[in-house]
Amino acid sequence: MTKKVLVITDAQNEFITEALGNKECEAAVKYIVAAAESGEYYKVIFTKDTHTADYLHTQEGKRLPVLHGQEGTEGYKIHPDIVKAVQEHYAPEQILTVKKPTFGSLDFGNTLKAIWEEVTAAGEAAEGEYPMEVDFTGFCTGICVLSNVVMAKAFVPEARVCVIEKACACVTPQTHQTAIAAMGPIQADVI
């Protein structure tokens, strides 16, 4: 049986209802909640965009001069509807959080690899099944979601990697669609 992992990418308030959010991000929340409420996941990984006070002096900060990812702020918190859905459907040991200082995260990749090793050691996948599927949701499709899909393909290349299209959003609908179109060539399935 395939073990499924739900990745909730940067579903922080600042990417939904605050300075970096938009109506498309707000609309995607219900689809992230629905994925979590399915209860079908072996593990749930929250990624959190996390920056230090010197963010505006970094390369990213100079190109995106909006201070965000600051621990302890309301914007840094995961959207409450998403937190509630995950906490109601998964045990604490099934829920992981990875703080990422940039778009793609080595810590995220290593976390996925550790789950892969756990899953494949159990040997529960039937002949012809993927041992593990990684389903991506979150923000922004063309930045952090895409970057971490690439990380997943690098760290667990034999896992099935999917993007739940309606559970993602980007800066604009056009950048979302561009990112979705880029998923196929890197062997990520759009569902």
Side-chain angles (χ1 to χ4, degrees):
M1 178 177 180
T2 300
K3 297 283 190 184
K4 295 176 75 172
V5 176
L6 178 62
V7 179
I8 302 174
T9 309
D10 301 354
Q12 294 156 268
N13 292 324
E14 55 206 2
F15 294 106
I16 301 167
T17 57
E18 294 188 11
L20 297 171
N22 58 42
K23 63 183 171 57
E24 290 81 19
C25 295
E26 289 180 40
V29 169
K30 68 182 173 189
Y31 296 102
I32 299 171
V33 167
E37 288 178 340
S38 73
E40 66 183 317
Y41 293 96
Y42 174 66
K43 300 279 185 185
V44 176
I45 302 171
F46 285 109
T47 69
K48 293 183 88 172
D49 200 38
T50 306
H51 300 294
T52 58
D54 72 340
Y55 171 77
L56 294 175
H57 300 289
T58 66
Q59 183 180 127
E60 179 184 336
K62 290 175 184 172
R63 294 178 182 211
L64 178 63
V66 177
L67 189 59
H68 65 284
Q70 301 294 296
E71 291 185 77
T73 65
E74 277 304 305
Y76 184 75
K77 294 178 182 176
I78 301 293
H79 190 283
D81 294 349
I82 298 168
V83 170
K84 180 180 180 207
V86 170
Q87 290 178 341
E88 288 179 353
H89 292 86
Y90 301 92
E93 63 271 12
Q94 291 178 280
I95 304 166
L96 307 165
T97 300
V98 175
K99 295 177 182 178
K100 48 184 211 48
T102 188
F103 306 132
S105 167
L106 293 175
D107 287 341
F108 170 72
N110 286 321
T111 298
L112 273 185
K113 187 174 180 181
I115 296 169
W116 171 264
E117 289 169 356
E118 181 181 309
V119 164
T120 55
E124 296 176 12
E127 183 69 31
E129 281 187 332
Y130 290 99
M132 188 168 97
E133 176 178 313
V134 184
D135 292 349
F136 280 85
T137 66
F139 313 105
C140 287
T141 320
I143 305 168
C144 292
V145 174
L146 179 61
S147 296
N148 286 290
V149 164
V150 171
M151 297 301 289
K153 293 304 294 179
F155 278 81
V156 290
E158 294 305 315
R160 180 180 186 213
V161 175
C162 302
V163 177
I164 303 174
E165 183 174 5
K166 289 184 177 182
C168 296
C170 201
V171 178
T172 68
Q174 295 77 22
T175 56
H176 171 75
Q177 285 306 312
T178 299
I180 290 296
M183 299 297 179
I186 60 172
Q187 301 175 354
D189 296 324
V190 177
I191 56 176

